[in-house]
Amino acid sequence: MAYFKSDYTAGALPEIIDALTATNLEHTPGYGQDHYCKEAERLLLEVCGIPDGQVQFVVGGTQANALVLDGLLGKCQGVLAAETAHINVHESGAIEATGHKILTLPTLDGKIRAEDIDRYVTTFFKDDTWPHMVEPGMVYLSFPTELGTLYTRHELEEISTVCHRHHIPLYIDGARLGYGLSSPACDLTLKDLARLADIFYIGGTKQGALFGEAIVSANARLIPRFLSLVKQHGALLAKGRLLGLQFKTLFTDNLYFRASQRAVDFAMQIRQLMQEAGYPLFIASPTNQQFFTLPNDDMDRLHQHVSFELWGPRGKTSTPVRFVTSWATTAEDIQTLAHALKEIR
Amino acid sequence: MAYFKSDYTAGALPEIIDALTATNLEHTPGYGQDHYCKEAERLLLEVCGIPDGQVQFVVGGTQANALVLDGLLGKCQGVLAAETAHINVHESGAIEATGHKILTLPTLDGKIRAEDIDRYVTTFFKDDTWPHMVEPGMVYLSFPTELGTLYTRHELEEISTVCHRHHIPLYIDGARLGYGLSSPACDLTLKDLARLADIFYIGGTKQGALFGEAIVSANARLIPRFLSLVKQHGALLAKGRLLGLQFKTLFTDNLYFRASQRAVDFAMQIRQLMQEAGYPLFIASPTNQQFFTLPNDDMDRLHQHVSFELWGPRGKTSTPVRFVTSWATTAEDIQTLAHALKEIR
Amino acid sequence: MAYFKSDYTAGALPEIIDALTATNLEHTPGYGQDHYCKEAERLLLEVCGIPDGQVQFVVGGTQANALVLDGLLGKCQGVLAAETAHINVHESGAIEATGHKILTLPTLDGKIRAEDIDRYVTTFFKDDTWPHMVEPGMVYLSFPTELGTLYTRHELEEISTVCHRHHIPLYIDGARLGYGLSSPACDLTLKDLARLADIFYIGGTKQGALFGEAIVSANARLIPRFLSLVKQHGALLAKGRLLGLQFKTLFTDNLYFRASQRAVDFAMQIRQLMQEAGYPLFIASPTNQQFFTLPNDDMDRLHQHVSFELWGPRGKTSTPVRFVTSWATTAEDIQTLAHALKEIR
Amino acid sequence: MAYFKSDYTAGALPEIIDALTATNLEHTPGYGQDHYCKEAERLLLEVCGIPDGQVQFVVGGTQANALVLDGLLGKCQGVLAAETAHINVHESGAIEATGHKILTLPTLDGKIRAEDIDRYVTTFFKDDTWPHMVEPGMVYLSFPTELGTLYTRHELEEISTVCHRHHIPLYIDGARLGYGLSSPACDLTLKDLARLADIFYIGGTKQGALFGEAIVSANARLIPRFLSLVKQHGALLAKGRLLGLQFKTLFTDNLYFRASQRAVDFAMQIRQLMQEAGYPLFIASPTNQQFFTLPNDDMDRLHQHVSFELWGPRGKTSTPVRFVTSWATTAEDIQTLAHALKEIR
């Protein structure tokens, strides 16, 4: 069986398991005040080109999103985001639970546009009844998006410019950041992101860590009492060093990007195999998620050899599906898929 | 250096590291729907004597507390708890952030009393203005308490009886549950707790896991939409199997209780050493936390050999201190303390 | 000047001022425990045909909506509502501030459809990831809608049936209820509404009271600790009798419906005058709100004699406008409009 | 029957009823954008000596408190207040519902002390674990207190100084402000309060209005998006002019203070009568609330002629009671009490 169901079905990169094993009996202070967290913060800020910034490690992506939005949105402010945004669809109302509305922007490809943000904010304050409405106080986007698509450097610069002209912070959800930055279609660097976003997170969970996301901002004082807020959200890990240690490992010897690159390469191989087999792209994604439309018969037969996800309800004759690669994908997985594709014809 | 500062300064029991290593490359479904979580749930429910109950694993104690209280308290209800309760003092307002008030009961030793609960609830509904007040809707206690003290079986049965007479659920915070149940002073079993509490959690973080707490209730439907709430709180671990695997390991071959017992035994040795050295108990705790009053000079000199915590501000001549043992405490640590005590005289 | 800007620009029906004056120096218990509230509750339940129901008076509509939704929605539940719903657009995020998401349904005319509700709920539970999503826990609609449109009896019965089949309560916002029930296009009675909705409110503020809305439900225990919740929301009026007295007055001698009927009759006269003057309907509303498209020149000249509202931004050549009648509209106002229409030609 | 039960059992000062009647049919913009609100704001700021300040009118005291605290407290901040504070006891958890903890200070007489505030804040930041605790972010006090007691100018200046030294805003709940300022024991003026507090409210409901409280601050930008927050709390009255008109009336010709003075004078007469009758003070209050200890027999007999409140549960032989005067108290009420006291002997 080859595994393409998701990028969080396996454990962690072996280097991480090794690091956990090697340091297991060491005693360190709790709650992220240890030397591993400090070292990982230094490494991350260096690679982001913002040495005076701040890093806060948390366990998961919903935590990261809820923390940043709760920390940055003022009373009666909401966050602008794509209708398909993870925070709008798949976080069980975590943002609304902190009292804030998600103000949705239309999207076809999972991306939002600078002009839509600009129009929303400009129109908002022209309306006489604006004090009765939720003020757009922040912009959320994900890189890559839920649909695996990428913003170009030009698009992201436009969005950043619009946000800053309206004094609205820009936040980037980077759950799969590495897979985005390693895409052949990407013309952005991590330093670009750190410069264009006010705050963003570097995903670990889907990128080879057991768990963990690193919230990064150039402005170390962006969110007041951030550590207290992390605690209030139940997101302050007692043995915080587990986060520091993992990110230190990921950002030593370029491990994070090497693993990302390998996964994206495998994804491109999958795309080629599937297109050669005659299956059209359902969404054109240049990252580790690949979407195809499969005839139901083929889909059922393929499922006997390869695990992948239905992307939406089963159709009458064909169904959209998603294949995901990760740091854990192997050349054997790709081989298995290649064989299976031949077999089912 | 001997480490008695806290019970979350080291990593995890070697058996847990081994299990993580051995299963690292396995692919499993996410979010706790894997076979390790199912197996761990079965093991826990069996040892608790409630085979039809439910277990929900989460990463940390503040998450567990906020989830259970948010899930069980109705609108305009608050939770009765000791003034010294962790939720009242050290969780950064996590409970209030979910909209609920903590209704404090007085305490000398960290414990609350059945009669105080009874009086509070009875008096509440006698007051004509009760619709203007926060209704006591739940009882929180920790076992052991913040001060290391334990409820007797009789005390806990009285509290449970009062709660159920008033139709108020009883919740027990078991961050250090194993250290409580392994105390020579304990006349309660895990089965007793599962019977007397409506819901409780079995702590992992301080008991030898890397992280993780298991929320257990005999009534599997106690909290509606609990899984969604876990997600909303940002507490649903993507690679949920890490929690299942750790608890499966802890509750295989009695590892949890063996490790707890060893820690409590070491705590009793510390108590004996300190008392022999002439230092009075600050609080009489029969569990893995030991509290003493130390002359400042002795404290400063001891600190050069042994790590421990000040329990309150430094006094003019003497200061209360806390020594904590854990699964990671070794016979060498005790030896180091014994030597240090001789040396500083 | 004739006033058609809104239905809350004047004070109150003279009968209400008289009642306030006549009872001013009487001493009564506070917080709605007085005999006027009790009498008003009895009158309302009688006219609604639900003698065992419950009435809770509050000061305003946003209070009513936030209270009912906060009281009825469970954790991780949201409310289904039209995209144009007042709660979604014009209440400054009051619903999200209580922690709940608004799940929007598409609408052209301000109304939602039974089949859309059914599809949403059915699809929701078919999706494997539903625990990660906000559960539809309630349906909100307004009668009349924001656009002055009305549900037919058949439409509302279908919605009610769908809601109850899915065990989801139906709530009706009746800020302008009287103007809806008095429309020539309405085939529903107040008793029908009380039967079809689980809970609804009878608007006072826009219907001739100084302020006040009456939340009505057939099930007196629908919302637990409702009075406490009213207090918690800051919605419990100290001199609660002011609400009881006003609703008692409105529902004595049919005053509420007489005043509503007069306003709707005036609205129909406005429609006729405007259509005779050649201005097309922008929205076809059979209630006290009338929407037209006006050439900008005519609009500007009309504004010198008559007050009304722009319904959206000023267009290049023409603009949608809204004329609203109320209990305070007079035959003179209509005359003024008729003269003005002649004058501006 | 003489009425001393509370200061919100009657309607409003006749001048207010007259003003409502006289202006009833006038059309004005809604939501407080009318000329009465503007004129009232000007009058209030003038009498407070802060012409560049801001006034926001709301309907009730719980609204005022929840709004100000929700608006001013940052994430993870709580409000310091007396254990007996209205917000801590009688507002149904309205503050916690906005996500904030009330940090209680001990009190004997309803007042808090500058030194206790200072100690709390200073100690807080000395504790290593402060990021795990709720930060004191604001001070709440009421003038007069719940027990009718008053801060001296010296006490309030000390509190104000401590607050500002720690950069913590001071908020004063003035539900009965007029009765405080009109007390013979008061050495403070309204201008003093406006100078010493960062924000406070001038009570109307208990001071002769039908309803209404005026939130006043010298800094017009103290709370960002305040109007939106008022709407979000359901506290933005549609016919806002009702609030402006009442406060305009109260602060024209010194009506507010004349009515307060009369009430306090009557309270002093009650105190004299009761003390002459041999009933000891239960609390020494120099304002419109008077507290006595009554033998139960006398209390029961007095209750046949005079309405007043039990202040706590009925005792075995005697019970604390509260007599409250107001703008509605008459010389006849005092006469009735005097007669009743003679009769029951």
Side-chain angles (χ1 to χ4, degrees):
Chain A
M1 192 64 127
Y3 292 91
F4 303 116
K5 202 150 185 167
S6 192
D7 33 21
Y8 48 80
T9 55
L13 285 159
E15 291 86 344
I16 282 181
I17 299 294
D18 290 349
L20 288 174
T21 306
T23 63
N24 186 49
L25 292 181
E26 186 183 345
H27 289 268
T28 59
Y31 303 113
Q33 306 305 307
D34 61 282
H35 66 99
Y36 293 113
C37 284
K38 288 190 174 57
E39 172 65 2
E41 180 174 29
R42 198 190 58 73
L43 282 171
L44 287 179
L45 293 178
E46 187 182 294
V47 69
C48 290
I50 46 171
D52 300 328
Q54 191 187 47
V55 174
Q56 173 66 48
F57 299 106
V58 295
V59 168
T62 300
Q63 277 181 355
N65 291 335
L67 269 167
V68 171
L69 272 61
D70 193 23
L72 279 181
L73 288 170
K75 291 279 164 191
C76 301
Q77 287 188 328
V79 58
L80 287 167
E83 281 176 334
T84 50
H86 203 259
I87 54 169
N88 195 42
V89 180
H90 278 118
E91 297 189 354
S92 205
I95 303 309
E96 291 84 0
T98 69
H100 296 288
K101 192 179 187 71
I102 299 170
L103 307 165
T104 56
L105 295 174
T107 180
L108 286 175
D109 53 2
K111 290 156 67 176
I112 54 175
R113 276 167 295 277
E115 64 188 77
D116 287 340
I117 298 168
D118 193 33
R119 189 184 308 113
Y120 195 105
V121 179
T122 308
T123 308
F124 179 84
F125 288 107
K126 274 190 187 153
D127 190 325
D128 280 353
T129 61
W130 68 263
H132 295 226
M133 294 159 75
V134 174
E135 182 181 306
M138 196 167 166
V139 169
Y140 164 101
L141 60 84
S142 47
F143 185 91
T145 69
E146 296 299 299
L147 307 182
T149 53
L150 291 177
Y151 292 84
T152 64
R153 176 200 293 262
H154 180 65
E155 288 168 342
L156 210 57
E157 281 187 341
E158 280 191 323
I159 288 174
S160 180
T161 302
V162 162
C163 287
H164 295 141
R165 191 166 70 236
H166 291 298
H167 306 291
I168 286 178
L170 171 61
Y171 168 56
I172 297 179
D173 176 335
R176 296 184 169 106
L177 193 60
Y179 301 131
L181 292 173
S182 301
S183 164
C186 182
D187 62 354
L188 281 154
T189 64
L190 188 48
K191 285 195 170 68
D192 289 329
L193 285 175
R195 176 177 53 85
L196 296 171
D198 294 274
I199 185 163
F200 67 106
Y201 83 83
I202 300 175
T205 300
K206 293 171 175 168
Q207 296 271 166
L210 285 175
F211 55 86
E213 327 292 324
I215 304 170
V216 181
S217 59
N219 175 358
R221 293 162 186 278
L222 189 64
I223 300 179
R225 287 175 297 282
F226 196 25
L227 196 59
S228 296
L229 193 62
V230 174
K231 178 70 183 174
Q232 188 178 83
H233 277 236
L236 193 58
L237 191 64
K239 299 176 184 174
R241 80 185 199 201
L242 301 177
L243 293 162
L245 186 64
Q246 291 185 87
F247 273 92
K248 174 176 182 253
T249 305
L250 287 171
F251 283 84
T252 296
D253 295 336
N254 219 24
L255 175 61
Y256 188 81
F257 289 108
R258 284 187 287 125
S260 296
Q261 188 63 60
R262 201 172 54 217
V264 173
D265 291 346
F266 284 137
M268 293 304 118
Q269 294 175 28
I270 291 175
R271 178 197 283 226
Q272 193 178 342
L273 286 170
M274 295 292 277
Q275 287 191 309
E276 285 170 5
Y279 303 131
L281 293 179
F282 180 68
I283 300 163
S285 153
T287 59
N288 75 317
Q289 300 185 82
Q290 295 297 317
F291 304 86
F292 310 95
T293 303
L294 283 193
N296 288 350
D297 278 0
D298 290 17
M299 179 174 74
D300 293 343
R301 275 183 290 161
L302 203 54
H303 248 151
Q304 293 168 12
H305 308 279
V306 180
S307 95
F308 54 89
E309 246 190 15
L310 272 63
W311 193 254
R314 184 186 178 97
K316 286 199 176 161
T317 58
S318 67
T319 302
V321 299
R322 184 182 71 159
F323 284 65
V324 189
T325 62
S326 78
W327 59 274
T329 306
T330 62
E332 288 71 38
D333 290 328
I334 304 299
Q335 280 303 103
T336 303
L337 174 63
H339 286 304
L341 285 172
K342 280 178 196 153
E343 206 155 299
I344 69 168
R345 262 180 225 162
Chain B
M1 191 63 126
Y3 292 90
F4 302 115
K5 201 149 186 169
S6 192
D7 32 22
Y8 49 80
T9 55
L13 286 159
E15 290 86 343
I16 282 180
I17 299 294
D18 290 348
L20 287 174
T21 307
T23 62
N24 186 47
L25 292 181
E26 186 183 347
H27 289 268
T28 59
Y31 302 114
Q33 306 305 308
D34 62 281
H35 66 99
Y36 294 113
C37 283
K38 288 191 175 55
E39 172 66 4
E41 181 175 27
R42 198 190 58 73
L43 282 172
L44 287 179
L45 293 179
E46 188 181 292
V47 69
C48 290
I50 46 170
D52 300 326
Q54 192 186 47
V55 174
Q56 174 66 49
F57 299 106
V58 295
V59 168
T62 300
Q63 278 181 354
N65 290 335
L67 270 168
V68 171
L69 271 60
D70 194 21
L72 280 181
L73 287 171
K75 292 278 163 188
C76 301
Q77 288 188 328
V79 58
L80 288 166
E83 281 176 333
T84 51
H86 203 257
I87 54 169
N88 194 43
V89 180
H90 277 115
E91 298 188 355
S92 207
I95 304 310
E96 290 83 2
T98 69
H100 297 286
K101 192 179 185 73
I102 300 171
L103 307 166
T104 55
L105 296 174
T107 181
L108 286 174
D109 52 3
K111 291 156 66 176
I112 54 174
R113 276 166 296 277
E115 63 188 78
D116 286 340
I117 298 168
D118 193 34
R119 189 185 306 112
Y120 194 104
V121 180
T122 308
T123 308
F124 179 83
F125 288 108
K126 273 190 190 155
D127 190 324
D128 279 351
T129 62
W130 68 264
H132 295 226
M133 294 158 75
V134 175
E135 183 181 306
M138 198 166 162
V139 168
Y140 165 100
L141 60 85
S142 48
F143 183 91
T145 70
E146 297 299 298
L147 308 182
T149 52
L150 291 176
Y151 292 84
T152 64
R153 176 199 294 262
H154 179 66
E155 288 167 341
L156 209 57
E157 282 187 339
E158 279 191 322
I159 288 174
S160 180
T161 301
V162 162
C163 286
H164 295 140
R165 192 167 68 234
H166 290 299
H167 306 290
I168 287 177
L170 171 61
Y171 169 56
I172 297 179
D173 176 336
R176 295 185 170 106
L177 193 60
Y179 302 130
L181 292 173
S182 302
S183 163
C186 182
D187 62 356
L188 280 155
T189 65
L190 188 48
K191 286 194 171 66
D192 289 330
L193 286 175
R195 178 177 52 85
L196 295 171
D198 294 273
I199 186 163
F200 67 106
Y201 84 82
I202 300 176
T205 300
K206 293 172 176 167
Q207 295 273 163
L210 284 174
F211 54 86
E213 326 292 325
I215 304 170
V216 181
S217 59
N219 174 359
R221 295 164 182 277
L222 189 63
I223 299 178
R225 288 174 297 283
F226 195 25
L227 195 60
S228 297
L229 192 63
V230 173
K231 179 70 183 172
Q232 186 177 84
H233 277 235
L236 192 60
L237 191 64
K239 299 178 184 172
R241 81 187 198 199
L242 302 175
L243 294 162
L245 187 65
Q246 291 185 86
F247 273 93
K248 176 176 178 248
T249 305
L250 287 171
F251 282 84
T252 297
D253 295 337
N254 219 23
L255 175 61
Y256 188 81
F257 289 109
R258 282 187 287 127
S260 295
Q261 187 64 60
R262 201 172 55 218
V264 173
D265 290 348
F266 284 137
M268 294 304 117
Q269 292 176 28
I270 291 175
R271 178 197 284 226
Q272 195 177 344
L273 285 170
M274 295 291 279
Q275 287 191 311
E276 284 171 6
Y279 304 130
L281 294 179
F282 179 67
I283 298 164
S285 152
T287 60
N288 75 316
Q289 299 185 83
Q290 295 296 318
F291 305 86
F292 309 96
T293 303
L294 284 192
N296 289 349
D297 279 0
D298 291 16
M299 180 174 74
D300 293 343
R301 274 182 289 159
L302 203 52
H303 248 153
Q304 294 166 12
H305 308 279
V306 180
S307 94
F308 55 88
E309 246 189 15
L310 272 63
W311 193 253
R314 185 185 176 97
K316 288 200 172 159
T317 57
S318 67
T319 303
V321 299
R322 184 183 72 159
F323 284 65
V324 189
T325 62
S326 77
W327 58 274
T329 305
T330 61
E332 287 71 38
D333 290 329
I334 304 297
Q335 281 301 102
T336 303
L337 174 63
H339 286 303
L341 285 172
K342 278 179 195 151
E343 207 154 295
I344 68 170
R345 260 178 229 162
Chain C
M1 194 59 129
Y3 293 91
F4 302 116
K5 202 148 184 171
S6 193
D7 31 21
Y8 50 80
T9 55
L13 286 160
E15 290 85 343
I16 280 180
I17 300 295
D18 290 349
L20 287 174
T21 308
T23 62
N24 185 50
L25 292 181
E26 186 183 345
H27 288 269
T28 59
Y31 302 113
Q33 306 305 308
D34 61 282
H35 64 98
Y36 294 114
C37 284
K38 287 189 174 57
E39 173 65 3
E41 180 176 28
R42 199 190 57 74
L43 282 171
L44 287 179
L45 292 179
E46 187 181 294
V47 70
C48 290
I50 45 169
D52 300 327
Q54 191 187 47
V55 174
Q56 175 65 48
F57 300 106
V58 295
V59 167
T62 299
Q63 277 180 354
N65 290 337
L67 270 167
V68 171
L69 271 61
D70 193 21
L72 279 181
L73 287 171
K75 291 279 164 189
C76 302
Q77 288 188 327
V79 58
L80 287 167
E83 282 176 334
T84 51
H86 202 259
I87 54 169
N88 194 41
V89 180
H90 277 116
E91 297 189 354
S92 207
I95 304 309
E96 289 85 0
T98 69
H100 296 287
K101 191 178 187 70
I102 300 172
L103 308 165
T104 55
L105 295 174
T107 180
L108 286 175
D109 53 3
K111 292 156 65 176
I112 54 175
R113 276 167 297 278
E115 62 189 76
D116 287 340
I117 298 169
D118 193 32
R119 189 182 309 112
Y120 194 105
V121 179
T122 307
T123 308
F124 178 83
F125 288 107
K126 274 190 190 153
D127 190 325
D128 279 352
T129 63
W130 68 261
H132 295 225
M133 295 160 74
V134 175
E135 181 181 305
M138 197 167 163
V139 169
Y140 164 100
L141 59 85
S142 48
F143 185 91
T145 69
E146 297 299 297
L147 307 181
T149 51
L150 291 176
Y151 292 84
T152 64
R153 176 201 293 263
H154 180 66
E155 289 168 341
L156 210 56
E157 282 186 341
E158 280 191 321
I159 289 174
S160 180
T161 301
V162 162
C163 286
H164 295 140
R165 192 168 67 235
H166 291 298
H167 306 290
I168 286 178
L170 170 62
Y171 168 56
I172 298 178
D173 175 335
R176 294 184 170 107
L177 193 62
Y179 301 132
L181 291 173
S182 301
S183 163
C186 182
D187 63 354
L188 281 155
T189 64
L190 188 48
K191 285 194 171 67
D192 289 330
L193 286 174
R195 177 176 53 86
L196 295 172
D198 294 273
I199 186 162
F200 67 106
Y201 83 83
I202 301 175
T205 300
K206 292 172 176 168
Q207 295 273 164
L210 284 175
F211 56 86
E213 327 293 323
I215 303 170
V216 181
S217 60
N219 175 358
R221 293 162 185 279
L222 190 62
I223 300 179
R225 288 174 297 281
F226 195 26
L227 197 60
S228 296
L229 192 64
V230 174
K231 178 71 183 175
Q232 187 178 82
H233 277 234
L236 192 59
L237 192 65
K239 298 176 184 173
R241 78 189 202 199
L242 300 175
L243 294 163
L245 186 64
Q246 290 185 88
F247 273 91
K248 176 177 180 250
T249 305
L250 287 171
F251 282 83
T252 296
D253 296 338
N254 220 24
L255 176 60
Y256 187 82
F257 289 108
R258 284 186 289 127
S260 295
Q261 188 63 62
R262 202 170 57 217
V264 173
D265 290 348
F266 284 138
M268 294 304 117
Q269 294 175 28
I270 290 175
R271 177 198 282 228
Q272 195 177 344
L273 286 170
M274 295 292 279
Q275 288 191 309
E276 285 171 6
Y279 303 132
L281 293 180
F282 179 68
I283 298 164
S285 152
T287 61
N288 74 317
Q289 300 186 82
Q290 295 296 318
F291 303 86
F292 310 96
T293 303
L294 283 191
N296 288 348
D297 279 359
D298 292 17
M299 180 175 75
D300 293 343
R301 275 182 289 160
L302 204 54
H303 248 153
Q304 294 167 11
H305 308 279
V306 180
S307 94
F308 55 91
E309 247 189 14
L310 272 62
W311 192 252
R314 184 184 178 98
K316 288 198 173 162
T317 58
S318 67
T319 303
V321 300
R322 185 183 71 159
F323 284 66
V324 189
T325 63
S326 78
W327 60 273
T329 305
T330 62
E332 286 73 38
D333 290 328
I334 304 297
Q335 280 302 103
T336 302
L337 174 63
H339 285 304
L341 285 172
K342 279 178 195 153
E343 209 154 296
I344 69 170
R345 260 175 231 168
Chain D
M1 192 63 127
Y3 292 90
F4 302 116
K5 200 148 186 169
S6 193
D7 32 22
Y8 50 80
T9 56
L13 286 159
E15 290 87 344
I16 281 180
I17 299 295
D18 289 350
L20 288 174
T21 306
T23 63
N24 186 49
L25 293 181
E26 187 184 346
H27 288 269
T28 60
Y31 301 113
Q33 305 306 309
D34 62 281
H35 65 97
Y36 294 114
C37 283
K38 288 189 174 55
E39 173 67 4
E41 180 174 28
R42 199 191 54 77
L43 282 172
L44 287 180
L45 292 179
E46 188 182 293
V47 69
C48 290
I50 47 171
D52 300 326
Q54 190 187 48
V55 174
Q56 174 66 48
F57 299 107
V58 293
V59 168
T62 301
Q63 276 180 354
N65 291 336
L67 271 167
V68 171
L69 271 61
D70 193 22
L72 279 181
L73 286 171
K75 291 279 164 190
C76 302
Q77 287 189 327
V79 57
L80 287 167
E83 281 176 334
T84 52
H86 202 258
I87 54 169
N88 195 41
V89 180
H90 277 117
E91 297 188 355
S92 206
I95 303 311
E96 289 85 0
T98 69
H100 296 287
K101 191 178 188 71
I102 300 171
L103 307 165
T104 55
L105 296 174
T107 179
L108 285 174
D109 53 3
K111 293 157 66 175
I112 54 176
R113 275 166 297 275
E115 63 188 77
D116 287 339
I117 298 168
D118 193 33
R119 189 183 307 114
Y120 195 105
V121 180
T122 308
T123 308
F124 179 83
F125 289 107
K126 274 190 191 155
D127 190 324
D128 279 351
T129 63
W130 68 263
H132 295 227
M133 295 160 74
V134 175
E135 182 181 305
M138 196 168 164
V139 169
Y140 164 101
L141 60 83
S142 48
F143 184 91
T145 69
E146 296 298 298
L147 307 182
T149 52
L150 292 176
Y151 292 84
T152 65
R153 176 199 294 262
H154 179 65
E155 289 167 341
L156 211 56
E157 283 187 339
E158 279 191 323
I159 288 174
S160 180
T161 301
V162 163
C163 286
H164 295 139
R165 192 167 69 233
H166 291 296
H167 306 290
I168 287 178
L170 171 61
Y171 168 55
I172 298 179
D173 176 336
R176 295 185 169 104
L177 192 61
Y179 302 131
L181 292 172
S182 301
S183 163
C186 182
D187 62 354
L188 280 154
T189 66
L190 188 49
K191 284 194 172 66
D192 290 329
L193 285 175
R195 176 176 54 84
L196 296 171
D198 294 274
I199 186 163
F200 67 106
Y201 84 82
I202 302 176
T205 301
K206 293 173 175 167
Q207 294 271 166
L210 284 175
F211 55 86
E213 328 292 323
I215 304 171
V216 181
S217 59
N219 174 358
R221 294 163 184 278
L222 189 63
I223 300 178
R225 290 175 296 283
F226 195 24
L227 197 59
S228 296
L229 192 63
V230 174
K231 179 70 182 174
Q232 186 177 85
H233 277 235
L236 192 59
L237 192 63
K239 299 177 183 173
R241 79 189 201 198
L242 301 175
L243 293 163
L245 186 66
Q246 291 185 86
F247 273 92
K248 175 177 181 247
T249 305
L250 287 171
F251 282 84
T252 297
D253 296 337
N254 221 21
L255 175 60
Y256 187 82
F257 289 108
R258 284 186 288 123
S260 296
Q261 188 64 61
R262 202 171 57 217
V264 173
D265 291 349
F266 284 138
M268 295 304 118
Q269 292 175 28
I270 291 174
R271 177 198 283 229
Q272 193 175 347
L273 285 170
M274 294 292 279
Q275 288 192 310
E276 286 171 5
Y279 303 130
L281 293 180
F282 179 68
I283 300 163
S285 152
T287 60
N288 76 316
Q289 299 185 82
Q290 295 295 319
F291 303 85
F292 308 96
T293 302
L294 283 193
N296 288 349
D297 279 0
D298 291 17
M299 178 174 76
D300 293 342
R301 275 183 288 162
L302 203 54
H303 248 153
Q304 293 167 12
H305 308 279
V306 181
S307 94
F308 55 90
E309 247 188 15
L310 272 62
W311 193 253
R314 185 186 178 96
K316 287 201 173 160
T317 57
S318 68
T319 303
V321 299
R322 183 182 74 158
F323 283 66
V324 189
T325 63
S326 79
W327 58 275
T329 305
T330 62
E332 287 73 37
D333 289 329
I334 305 298
Q335 279 303 102
T336 302
L337 174 63
H339 285 304
L341 286 171
K342 279 178 193 152
E343 208 156 295
I344 68 167
R345 260 174 228 167

